[in-house]
């Protein structure tokens, strides 16, 4: 059972997981997890390696579909609609629930094309001018515009690691998502690039529901308003980030965040 | 509490707790000796109390440095963070307690006609309670014991009651013995200092409670 803090202010649930289990073959990586992802909040998933936090994150936009042995039980909803129901358009789902990965993975195309690709295939722009505008606005929101505006035709892969990651965030933003999932977005970045990403998360957080998986406790404490602590495939404790990091209720949470775990 | 994966973190915390215990022990001794010196007119003992205050100040500075270093290098969380913050604040308060004892010691030479000066006999009992509060609150700190911390808080009422009683006594004494008003006034300050020591021990008790539980003790006034 998840220990949920009782002082959470009411928030609109953008996504909800009800009794979700995720199996790889016979092994349950996630075991009967229920949680709501509040809209316009940053929710952090923390926990030791192998606790299932990334698996759970990936089940929120059906990234686990690409792993043949993976199987999801229970219900995950987006605005109340079951995302695993038959006939669900997965491409459309992933536009609504975007994702940023651990290692920046820009397309081997120009900076402009990296951003414009999504809006084009989803038909979000009706002409070149509108597409230009989406590209500029997305790069601005990702805090990258000033650095790349004079070289939009350069390859995305020629940027620095931190810039590439912001390019990937801009790419996720460009298709106007409702939820952004981030799987350790800063683990390959230096402290300055990390600070820029965190500042970016802070700036865009009121606009989307953001879920971030991170191994850095400090980062979770800095960027999120809600924190869920995962352990052995379950959410042990869920509450306001400030409470989880100052007065956790569960001993296992306490031991993990204070560095006494195993 | 179980150990941290990083052993040096435990060593830092242990050292921090050791410094607080050392500082508190010195402060407790100073209360007793300052009052002894006051009652017996022992200038040498009083001088020792004044010198000891420098040592207490030096330990406080060491606590500050170590606490800042732990925060910077270890990024403590949850109970560790509360522990470090509490140590930082407790050190400041214990330093103040040391100052009050020093202040009492400085007044030792200003009391005239000690042999016939009755109000002095009122001080030991009050001083004993205040010193005991400091002793108990340090025990509560060492044991991370919120129950004992709350007992210390409750004891402060006794010190306050003593202060009020001494105040009334000394004022009537002043009326009856106008020649000794100056000495009697000194004594009012001494009683006031002991009363403040009780208040500070109460503050420490609240921080001990916070470090141990994550919240401040509930207000007992309503009970």
């Amino acid at each position: 059972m998840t220990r949920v803090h009782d002082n959470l202010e009411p928030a609109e649930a953008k996504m909800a997981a009800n009794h979700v289990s995720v199996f790889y073959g016979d092994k349950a990586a996630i075991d009967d997890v229920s949680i709501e992802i509040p809209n316009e909040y940053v929710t952090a998933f923390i926990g030791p390696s192998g606790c299932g936090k990334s698996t759970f994150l990936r089940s929120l936009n059906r990234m686990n579909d690409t792993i043949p042995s993976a199987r999801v039980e229970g219900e995950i909803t987006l605005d109340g609609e079951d995302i695993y129901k038959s006939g669900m358009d997965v491409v459309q789902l992933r536009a609504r629930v975007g994702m940023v990965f651990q290692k920046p993975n820009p397309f081997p195309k120009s900076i402009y094309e990296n951003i414009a690709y999504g809006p084009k295939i989803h038909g979000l722009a009706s002409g070149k001018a509108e597409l230009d505008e989406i590209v500029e606005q997305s790069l601005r929101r990702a805090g990258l515009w000033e650095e790349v505006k004079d070289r939009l035709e350069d390859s995305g892969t020629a940027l620095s690691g931190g810039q590439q990651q912001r390019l990937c965030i801009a790419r996720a933003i460009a298709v106007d998502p409702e939820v952004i999932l981030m799987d350790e977005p800063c683990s390959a970045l230096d402290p300055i690039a990390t600070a820029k990403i965190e500042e970016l998360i802070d700036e865009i957080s009121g606009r989307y529901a953001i879920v971030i998986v991170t191994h850095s406790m400090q980062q979770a404490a800095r960027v999120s308003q809600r924190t869920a602590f995962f352990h052995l495939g379950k959410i042990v404790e869920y509450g306001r980030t400030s409470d989880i990091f100052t007065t956790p209720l569960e001993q296992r949470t306490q031991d993990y965040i204070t560095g006494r775990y195993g | 509490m179980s150990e941290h994966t990083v052993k040096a973190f435990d060593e830092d915390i242990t050292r921090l707790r050791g410094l607080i215990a050392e500082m508190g022990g010195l402060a407790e001794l100073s209360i007793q000796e300052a009052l002894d010196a006051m009652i017996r007119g022992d200038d040498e003992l009083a001088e020792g109390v004044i010198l000891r205050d420098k040592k207490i100040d030096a330990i406080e500075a060491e606590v500050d440095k170590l606490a800042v270093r732990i925060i910077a290098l270890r990024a403590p969380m949850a109970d560790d963070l509360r522990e470090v913050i509490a140590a930082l604040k407790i050190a400041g308060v214990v330093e103040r307690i040391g100052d009050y004892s020093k202040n009492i010691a400085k007044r030792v030479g200003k009391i005239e006609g000690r042999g016939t000066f009755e109000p002095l006999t009122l001080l030991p009992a009050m001083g004993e309670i205040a010193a005991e509060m400091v002793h108990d609150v340090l025990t509560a700190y060492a044991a991370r014991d919120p129950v004992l911390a709350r007992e210390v808080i409750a004891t402060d009422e006794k010190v306050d009651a003593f202060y009020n009683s001494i105040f009334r006594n000394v004022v009537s004494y002043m009326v009856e013995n106008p020649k000794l008003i100056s000495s009697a006034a000194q004594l009012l300050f001494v009683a006031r200092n002991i009363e403040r020591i009780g208040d500070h021990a109460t503050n420490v008790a609240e921080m001990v409670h916070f470090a141990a539980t994550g919240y401040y003790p509930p207000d007992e006034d309503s009970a």
Side-chain angles (χ1 to χ4, degrees):
Chain A
M1 267 304 286
T2 302
R3 179 103 173 242
V4 180
H5 288 225
D6 58 13
N7 61 353
L8 295 175
E9 60 275 28
E12 176 209 341
K14 188 68 194 174
M15 297 192 79
N18 295 312
H19 301 289
V20 169
S21 298
V22 183
F23 298 88
Y24 293 124
D26 293 336
K27 192 184 168 297
I30 283 290
D31 181 12
D32 193 19
V33 161
S34 298
I35 188 176
E36 288 186 349
I37 306 297
N39 200 16
E40 300 176 358
Y41 276 68
V42 180
T43 303
F45 290 171
I46 60 168
S49 292
C51 67
K53 57 192 188 300
S54 288
T55 294
F56 184 67
L57 188 81
R58 295 164 64 89
S59 68
L60 294 178
N61 71 346
R62 295 185 56 170
M63 276 303 195
N64 291 327
D65 288 13
T66 58
I67 303 168
S69 69
R71 181 165 54 86
V72 176
E73 281 179 11
E75 182 192 53
I76 297 177
T77 61
L78 173 61
D79 285 338
E81 185 187 11
D82 184 355
I83 64 170
Y84 282 90
K85 70 176 183 189
S86 62
M88 186 77 194
D89 179 346
V90 177
V91 173
Q92 191 57 38
L93 171 71
R94 289 180 191 148
R96 292 175 68 191
V97 184
M99 194 155 191
V100 177
F101 297 86
Q102 186 168 356
K103 268 182 74 181
N105 54 353
F107 304 134
K109 291 169 181 288
S110 71
I111 294 168
Y112 184 95
E113 275 303 314
N114 262 279
I115 310 295
Y117 183 73
K120 269 198 259 181
I121 63 165
H122 288 287
L124 297 179
S126 57
K128 174 84 168 92
E130 211 169 315
L131 199 57
D132 285 353
E133 168 134 9
I134 291 175
V135 168
E136 176 174 345
Q137 195 188 27
S138 302
L139 285 168
R140 276 191 191 281
R141 278 195 196 155
L144 196 58
W145 175 252
E146 290 302 324
E147 292 163 55
V148 300
K149 63 180 177 191
D150 299 323
R151 48 177 175 135
L152 292 175
E153 293 312 315
D154 287 7
S155 170
T157 54
L159 295 170
S160 74
Q163 288 173 325
Q164 286 187 22
Q165 195 62 306
R166 278 181 283 148
L167 182 66
C168 292
I169 294 174
R171 186 176 65 188
I173 290 172
V175 293
D176 201 18
E178 296 156 54
V179 182
I180 301 176
L181 310 175
M182 298 186 175
D183 193 355
E184 294 191 49
C186 301
S187 62
L189 304 183
D190 74 21
I192 301 294
T194 298
K196 283 184 182 164
I197 300 283
E198 288 179 4
E199 168 64 15
L200 169 58
I201 292 171
D202 205 44
E203 255 171 38
I204 65 176
S205 66
R207 230 182 275 267
Y208 315 97
I210 296 176
V211 185
I212 180 169
V213 164
T214 174
H215 271 138
S216 161
M217 234 84 70
Q218 299 298 321
Q219 179 167 70
R222 285 192 299 262
V223 303
S224 70
Q225 292 85 47
R226 299 281 177 87
T227 295
F229 170 57
F230 282 73
H231 185 47
L232 299 176
K234 290 181 182 295
I235 298 180
V236 172
E237 187 168 349
Y238 173 65
R240 292 203 295 224
T241 298
S242 55
D243 292 333
I244 295 283
F245 286 106
T246 56
T247 47
L249 301 174
E250 288 286 321
Q251 190 62 44
R252 275 177 295 169
T253 316
Q254 170 97 0
D255 286 351
Y256 179 68
I257 64 174
T258 58
R260 292 185 181 94
Y261 177 84
Chain B
M1 266 197 270
S2 59
E3 288 178 352
H4 290 96
T5 307
V6 179
K7 296 282 183 296
F9 192 177
D10 284 322
E11 286 160 21
D12 282 349
I13 296 271
T14 304
R15 173 128 186 283
L16 191 65
R17 293 176 66 80
L19 287 170
I20 295 286
E22 185 187 355
M23 206 183 165
L26 293 176
E28 188 190 336
L29 185 62
S30 278
I31 300 170
Q32 287 159 345
E33 290 191 357
L35 286 170
D36 261 5
M38 174 58 69
I39 289 151
R40 301 207 311 256
D42 187 335
D43 293 330
E44 210 173 306
L45 194 56
E47 193 54 39
V49 170
I50 292 166
L51 280 177
R52 185 179 301 123
D53 192 53
K54 285 204 174 27
K55 173 76 180 155
I56 294 176
D57 291 355
I59 299 176
E60 188 208 6
E62 212 174 322
V63 169
D64 284 0
K65 246 168 64 184
L66 180 57
V68 167
R69 209 184 66 126
I70 292 175
I71 291 169
L73 301 190
R74 313 271 179 220
M77 289 283 195
D79 60 346
D80 292 331
L81 179 60
R82 298 199 305 267
E83 170 103 39
V84 174
I85 296 296
L88 202 56
K89 292 175 77 176
I90 289 171
V93 176
V94 172
E95 189 273 331
R96 291 292 297 151
I97 291 176
D99 285 349
Y100 284 118
S101 295
K102 181 174 78 173
N103 190 278
I104 293 172
K106 280 182 171 171
R107 296 178 193 276
V108 166
K110 295 181 178 164
I111 306 285
E112 298 163 41
R114 201 170 244 103
T116 57
F117 187 52
E118 294 156 35
L120 269 179
T121 58
L122 299 167
L123 286 180
M126 183 185 185
E128 209 169 290
I129 297 178
E132 199 177 287
M133 282 176 78
V134 173
H135 176 85
D136 286 353
V137 84
L138 290 165
T139 308
Y141 174 75
R144 298 184 171 96
D145 181 349
V147 178
L148 183 55
R150 282 207 295 272
E151 282 172 23
V152 171
I153 294 169
T155 311
D156 192 42
E157 268 178 39
K158 286 195 209 164
V159 177
D160 290 349
F162 254 109
Y163 175 66
N164 291 331
S165 146
I166 289 177
F167 184 87
R168 281 194 303 272
N169 264 297
V170 173
V171 169
S172 13
Y173 185 86
M174 284 169 159
V175 173
E176 289 158 23
N177 305 279
K179 276 190 215 156
L180 284 170
I181 276 189
S182 166
S183 294
Q186 293 294 338
L187 206 65
L188 280 183
F189 283 119
V190 172
R192 177 71 181 160
N193 285 342
I194 301 174
E195 190 268 335
R196 292 300 295 148
I197 287 172
D199 289 348
H200 281 310
T202 303
N203 289 344
V204 174
E206 286 167 356
M207 289 169 223
V208 169
H209 194 284
F210 173 74
T213 63
Y215 58 93
Y216 284 100
D219 207 343
E220 304 274 330
D221 286 353
S222 52

